[in-house]
Amino acid sequence: MSDCLFCKIVSGQVPAKIVHQDDQCIAFLDIAPQAPTHVLFVPRRHLASLNEATVEEKELLGHLMVTASKYARDNGIGETGYRQVVNCNRDAGQTVFHLHLHLLGGRPMGHFG
Ligand code: AMP
Ligand code: ZN
């Protein structure tokens, strides 16, 4: 997707503070952090949202979750806790239409809101 911001970060056309890379995903610091730890885990392959994910993507989606959890443990928020969030479309407030998982931690968070 030539006009997708996160595809451009994946390809290196747009800079980001990358904290993890593997064959399936990259992770970088959110530009407007909502918590002391706020990292985005992004599949290398373009999928606009969770609505495009089928059973074919179940391994990829699991990979994002376990990779983010390992990052949390390795970066000192495993015990205190963290949240993983995937926003889908308007009511969830999705603003970048390349699937991504937010990892948030380092402060107490309200239950839902
Ligand atoms: P969402 O609202 O779930 O679509 O999340 C999009 C996230 O991308 C927001 O938290 C933004 O702060 C973040 N974001 C937007 N542009 C950039 C960028 N260039 N580098 C890093 N994070 C970004
Ligand atoms: Zn994309």
Side-chain angles (χ1 to χ4, degrees):
M1 285 281 288
S2 57
D3 62 347
C4 169
L5 173 62
F6 286 0
C7 281
K8 287 179 178 164
I9 291 177
V10 167
S11 69
Q13 286 174 262
V14 169
K17 291 185 177 156
I18 294 172
V19 296
H20 170 86
Q21 301 196 57
D22 62 43
D23 60 330
Q24 296 185 72
C25 74
I26 72 168
F28 50 88
L29 304 185
D30 197 291
I31 205 166
Q34 302 300 306
T37 297
H38 189 172
V39 180
L40 302 176
F41 290 79
V42 177
R44 290 187 180 277
R45 188 159 65 83
H46 182 90
L47 291 167
S49 79
L50 269 183
N51 282 338
E52 288 194 355
T54 68
V55 70
E56 298 293 314
E57 279 75 43
K58 67 182 181 185
E59 200 267 336
L60 173 63
L61 296 177
H63 179 76
L64 293 178
M65 291 189 81
V66 298
T67 303
S69 293
K70 182 173 188 317
Y71 179 92
R73 292 194 304 278
D74 289 349
N75 287 275
I77 57 168
E79 282 297 316
T80 48
Y82 54 87
R83 181 171 288 169
Q84 297 186 4
V85 175
V86 180
N87 294 318
C88 181
N89 279 350
R90 185 185 57 226
D91 280 359
Q94 184 177 4
T95 57
V96 177
F97 288 85
H98 178 132
L99 180 79
H100 52 280
L101 180 149
H102 297 255
L103 173 68
L104 297 146
R107 67 165 173 83
M109 281 171 268
H111 198 236
F112 289 109

